[in-house]
Amino acid sequence: MSDPKYAKSKFISKAPLENNNAKWTRLVLTTYSDPNGVERTWESAERQTRPPTCDVDGVGIVTVLNKPTGPELLLQKQYRPPIDKVVIEVPAGLIDAGETIEECAVRELKEETGYVGVAEQTSPVMFNDPGLCNTNLNMVHVRVDMSLPENQNPKPELEDNEFIECFTLPLDTLFAELKRLEGLGYAIDARVGTLAEGIELAKKLKL
């Protein structure tokens, strides 16, 4: 894309946010007792979007597209205001009330990338940054059959506030490609970086 919309996003300002004005998150002060019986406090953030009957906030999606040159990981670029950078991410999204983890993954994949897939494997519940927030997710492996007509020319179904570019990177060189993209100024989401680290570790240990 010569002029991607996400690249036009610009940081303007930031200011303190009171909890009573927050729609998506809130700050909390937790009081706890350490192993020595000393009472301590911990400042953290909590999401306010988790459905009452669900144990997780959302999903991350691992989709590998089988191309003639080899398997490639489906990724996306998206501007993230908290760090004022375009981030390299896997498709992801928040779970809606009444849907399963797998249904959420299939829905979000279609909305964000246009691909139609089938959920095949779900990870344990994973916590993004437990020292800072309670946000958690399941990583879901979604298989995309590239021979299906609906996957020949996928078109995302983005919301008005979503500006996402989808692309793929070869699994075999994922680590090196992420280092290259970091050098170009992109931020690397921890889920993508961890996948790349896992692939490198598997190579090193010949797993």
Side-chain angles (χ1 to χ4, degrees):
M1 298 175 68
S2 59
D3 188 23
K5 284 189 176 181
Y6 70 78
K8 296 181 179 180
S9 298
K10 295 186 184 301
F11 176 85
I12 298 175
S13 67
K14 64 179 175 180
L17 176 65
E18 299 296 332
N19 275 344
N20 57 3
N21 292 325
K23 178 180 179 183
W24 303 100
T25 58
R26 65 174 180 169
L27 292 176
V28 295
L29 182 67
T30 299
T31 302
Y32 69 103
S33 175
D34 74 12
N36 294 322
V38 178
E39 189 173 289
R40 301 182 185 276
T41 58
W42 195 288
E43 298 176 7
S44 61
E46 289 184 345
R47 277 195 180 274
Q48 301 188 83
T49 56
R50 185 183 301 177
T53 58
C54 190
D55 293 328
V56 298
D57 295 299
V59 300
I61 303 162
V62 178
T63 293
V64 176
L65 302 181
N66 291 313
K67 298 195 173 184
T69 53
E72 300 196 5
L73 181 65
L74 180 59
L75 296 168
Q76 52 194 36
K77 298 175 184 177
Q78 185 169 193
Y79 175 77
R80 294 298 191 180
I83 60 172
D84 188 29
K85 283 181 177 289
V86 174
V87 183
I88 307 300
E89 307 173 341
V90 291
L94 299 177
I95 191 166
D96 288 341
E99 69 180 352
T100 67
I101 302 299
E102 292 75 18
E103 288 169 344
C104 176
V106 171
R107 172 182 59 77
E108 286 287 352
L109 182 70
K110 188 171 190 303
E111 290 176 0
E112 293 193 351
T113 73
Y115 283 106
V116 176
V118 177
E120 291 191 321
Q121 181 174 311
T122 301
S123 76
V125 175
M126 302 166 68
F127 291 84
N128 299 9
D129 191 349
L132 176 65
C133 63
N134 72 333
T135 304
N136 62 7
L137 79 160
N138 289 102
M139 294 293 285
V140 182
H141 296 203
V142 178
R143 178 176 56 84
V144 169
D145 186 343
M146 298 290 282
S147 69
L148 295 178
E150 55 264 39
N151 290 325
Q152 299 306 305
N153 187 28
K155 295 190 180 341
E157 303 164 2
L158 300 177
E159 298 180 11
D160 291 342
N161 64 343
E162 291 182 310
F163 304 94
I164 297 171
E165 177 191 346
C166 297
F167 70 112
T168 61
L169 289 176
L171 281 181
D172 188 53
T173 57
L174 182 60
F175 185 88
E177 285 295 318
L178 293 181
K179 294 287 285 186
R180 179 183 66 81
L181 288 166
E182 182 184 45
L184 294 176
Y186 292 97
I188 309 302
D189 181 89
R191 286 160 288 192
V192 180
T194 301
L195 283 169
E197 288 281 356
I199 292 170
E200 292 302 296
L201 187 59
K203 290 179 183 177
K204 181 178 180 181
L205 299 178
K206 298 180 170 40
L207 297 178

